[in-house]
Amino acid sequence: MTERQRFNLHEERLAIYSRDGGICQYCGEPVDINHFEVAHRIANTVSNRKRYGAEVVDHRLNKATTHAGKCNSGMNCGFNPGKCQEVIDRIKGQ
């Protein structure tokens, strides 16, 4: 990864944290800026990239601020096709 790519990734993470107001999108509790994770709602997997495309998997609306561990894992909507479709509709509706 280049220095520019690392910078862009860092900027994206901070933008997501700011958009979410520093609140875990799974449990609703505040998340320390030094300890947050960015979770994919539709997981970043090879099969999801084939099914939905990189433009969906990599989109900021597919990512959310979470605590590590259970909250991050809980954001995965892969077993709920209705939730996945909601994410896709929000992304494509922009």
Side-chain angles (χ1 to χ4, degrees):
M1 182 180 284
T2 68
E3 186 69 28
R4 184 67 180 156
Q5 289 169 322
R6 277 192 296 277
F7 176 79
N8 288 343
L9 180 61
H10 180 72
E11 288 294 307
E12 180 184 44
R13 286 175 48 79
L14 290 178
I16 291 167
Y17 182 87
S18 177
R19 176 200 67 201
D20 294 341
I23 302 297
C24 176
Q25 298 302 291
Y26 183 73
C27 73
E29 295 294 320
V31 184
D32 187 294
I33 194 164
N34 296 312
H35 298 100
F36 77 101
E37 291 187 358
V38 174
H40 285 80
R41 290 179 168 94
I42 297 173
N44 184 13
T45 65
V46 172
S47 63
N48 283 344
R49 286 183 170 278
K50 286 180 183 175
R51 178 179 297 144
Y52 303 114
E55 66 277 358
V56 169
V57 174
D58 294 334
H59 198 280
R60 283 186 182 185
L61 291 177
N62 186 43
K63 299 174 183 178
T65 302
T66 64
H67 292 103
K70 190 170 23 170
C71 290
N72 187 311
S73 297
M75 286 302 298
N76 184 356
C77 66
F79 299 107
N80 186 334
K83 288 273 190 200
C84 286
Q85 192 58 53
E86 286 176 20
V87 173
I88 293 164
D89 290 346
R90 281 186 28 210
I91 291 169
K92 302 224 175 187
Q94 284 207 340

